[in-house]
Amino acid sequence: MTHQPIISADSHITEPPTMYADHIEPAFRDRAPHIQHVEGAGDIFVIEGMKTPIPLGIVAAAGKPAEQIRLMGTRFEELHRGGWDPEARLADQERDGVDAEILYPTVGMAICNHRDLDYKKACCDAYNRWIAEYCSPHPDRLLGVGQTAMRTVEEGIRDLEAIKAAGLRGVMMPGHPGVADYDDRIYDPFWEAAIAIGLPLSFHILTTRDALPRGPRMNAFLSVVRGCQDIMGMLVLGGVFERHPKLRVVCVEADAGWVPHFMYRMDHAFKRHRNWLPPGQTLSKLPSEYFAESIYVTFQDDWVAFKTANLMNWRRLMWANDFPHSDSTWPWSQELLAEHTAPLTDEQRTGILSANVADLYGVDVDALLAA
């Protein structure tokens, strides 16, 4: 691996206690998301207008044995410092054998679900200012993704331009836009702007207001991928990729082993049922062909994805370590990858661990190796 870097396509920062207050517009400063200590429950991130605060127990539990992971009772100072300190982050990368990371928010994921669009917009702008600062000391290794509240199509385009100007590498979209839905033709100018500006668009798990799962609480863990699946199906069957074949979208942290079956099921519906259950517009190709070309998928220790890479377009598969969240493979990523990538060819291994993400985000691999 001395000649080929490893890039995590989905890692996270941990917003520091005063990040939003320090970077948000003055009109929202008194209402900015902030950390509050609750006796017996530890530190929690409070977001005005959202019923459920964010406990810190699992947002930075990478590396902990399963029996030590708990939701409540954690203090901010106990978390991985690399979540908010870019210098400490390089040591975290080196410990895991990772050379660079595409960085997503943590609290910002929950803010995607906020129903107050003005508040959401202020928080997204504050985050974009902070993440640009965080990445600036090491722009070859810390590759930040910005956020848009997507209040309107026109404002979304302005957000794309601002995020690009800030030096960020992509845009995390909220699961629900402010107007209509993403398959509506009013979004056509936005998709074309994303293509022209050169920013991949990401849909991350937990950024969609999904229906409550049934059964025990653990069943909720299984349900978190469904919001992303629904959006991918909507974009494919709604004709978004038919109208915008150069558009590239990333389905983030929803695993990838399900992709071959999902493509089959879309094709089955299209071939067998399109006359009484029509897609959003006439499609000139099979749904699976749009998925295979236009959608990138990130995953961590999904061994099924590695074993079924030949059943999908493996040039759209991107490995991630999800540091510092509780699902992270850090600091055991190298051991897991040695086992899970065994069925792959050298070309596939290089693609899934670095080349695919480098191509998508315009990462200069030579500069990365030098860094």
Side-chain angles (χ1 to χ4, degrees):
M1 297 309 299
T2 55
H3 301 293
Q4 185 64 45
I6 295 181
I7 306 172
S8 169
D10 169 44
S11 299
H12 293 263
I13 56 79
T14 307
E15 293 88 343
T18 64
M19 185 278 281
Y20 285 103
D22 292 343
H23 293 81
I24 207 165
E25 295 176 27
F28 292 89
R29 191 159 294 148
D30 292 341
R31 302 164 50 199
H34 61 280
I35 284 184
Q36 176 179 327
H37 181 73
V38 178
E39 197 62 37
D43 291 347
I44 57 174
F45 237 108
V46 178
I47 306 170
E48 182 177 295
M50 301 194 79
K51 294 181 180 179
T52 306
I54 302 173
L56 300 187
I58 62 172
V59 302
K64 286 187 176 181
E67 60 272 15
Q68 293 182 16
I69 298 176
R70 63 190 191 278
L71 189 64
M72 313 297 288
T74 302
R75 300 297 296 263
F76 179 81
E77 52 267 26
E78 299 172 22
L79 306 183
H80 293 283
R81 186 175 182 85
W84 65 92
D85 181 340
E87 302 306 323
R89 187 60 172 241
L90 298 191
D92 294 327
Q93 290 182 352
E94 289 162 10
R95 182 176 176 186
D96 204 37
V98 168
D99 298 278
E101 298 167 285
I102 306 297
L103 296 171
Y104 288 89
T106 295
V107 175
M109 292 163 59
I111 287 172
C112 281
N113 297 317
H114 208 291
R115 294 181 183 274
D116 184 333
L117 295 177
D118 296 336
Y119 185 84
K120 183 191 294 189
K121 169 64 172 171
C123 290
C124 289
D125 287 349
Y127 176 78
N128 292 343
R129 297 181 189 108
W130 180 84
I131 190 63
E133 294 174 3
Y134 177 89
C135 295
S136 61
H138 304 286
D140 295 315
R141 299 183 66 178
L142 305 177
L143 312 172
V145 169
Q147 287 191 260
T148 176
M150 210 62 212
R151 289 192 295 189
T152 67
V153 174
E154 296 74 19
E155 183 177 82
I157 294 173
R158 292 195 296 272
D159 286 344
L160 293 178
E161 294 168 344
I163 289 168
K164 180 72 172 183
L168 299 174
R169 300 301 187 106
V171 182
M172 188 175 80
M173 308 287 290
H176 300 277
V179 182
D181 213 340
Y182 289 120
D183 60 334
D184 195 296
R185 287 179 180 267
I186 66 170
Y187 285 95
D188 286 350
F190 178 81
W191 307 129
E192 286 301 314
I195 295 167
I197 294 170
L199 287 174
L201 306 177
S202 297
F203 292 91
H204 200 290
I205 62 165
L206 302 175
T207 59
T208 302
R209 296 189 295 270
D210 300 317
L212 292 175
R214 300 168 67 181
R217 291 182 64 189
M218 186 172 283
N219 201 33
F221 183 84
L222 305 182
S223 73
V224 297
V225 305
R226 295 172 191 162
C228 283
Q229 291 173 336
D230 285 345
I231 293 172
M232 299 306 112
M234 174 177 61
L235 297 177
V236 170
L237 299 175
V240 173
F241 300 121
E242 170 78 26
R243 301 193 298 274
H244 311 283
K246 293 183 179 179
L247 180 66
R248 296 295 178 262
V249 165
V250 190
C251 179
V252 188
E253 205 180 325
D255 287 336
W258 53 269
V259 169
H261 178 265
F262 194 78
M263 292 193 298
Y264 144 75
R265 188 150 181 83
M266 286 195 296
D267 284 354
H268 173 77
F270 181 74
K271 293 175 182 177
R272 185 70 176 165
H273 301 293
R274 67 177 179 270
N275 290 320
W276 72 274
L277 201 64
Q281 75 163 75
T282 300
L283 302 179
S284 61
K285 298 188 292 188
L286 289 174
S288 61
E289 295 180 81
Y290 298 103
F291 195 113
E293 180 61 26
S294 302
I295 298 175
Y296 287 76
V297 189
T298 83
F299 63 103
Q300 293 95 249
D301 52 349
D302 180 0
W303 58 268
V304 178
F306 284 112
K307 283 186 174 293
T308 58
N310 289 321
L311 298 180
M312 49 187 142
N313 183 2
W314 57 264
R315 297 188 186 278
R316 299 293 181 262
L317 292 178
M318 303 189 300
W319 175 81
N321 70 357
D322 194 37
F323 180 81
H325 288 178
S326 58
D327 249 7
S328 179
T329 57
W330 185 98
W332 314 293
S333 294
Q334 296 308 308
E335 292 90 333
L336 287 169
L337 288 174
E339 175 186 356
H340 290 173
T341 64
L344 302 178
T345 66
D346 290 343
E347 184 183 24
Q348 288 174 327
R349 188 178 192 276
T350 298
I352 294 170
L353 299 188
S354 64
N356 297 345
V357 67
D359 288 345
L360 178 64
Y361 290 99
V363 177
D364 186 333
V365 174
D366 291 334
L368 176 58
L369 289 172

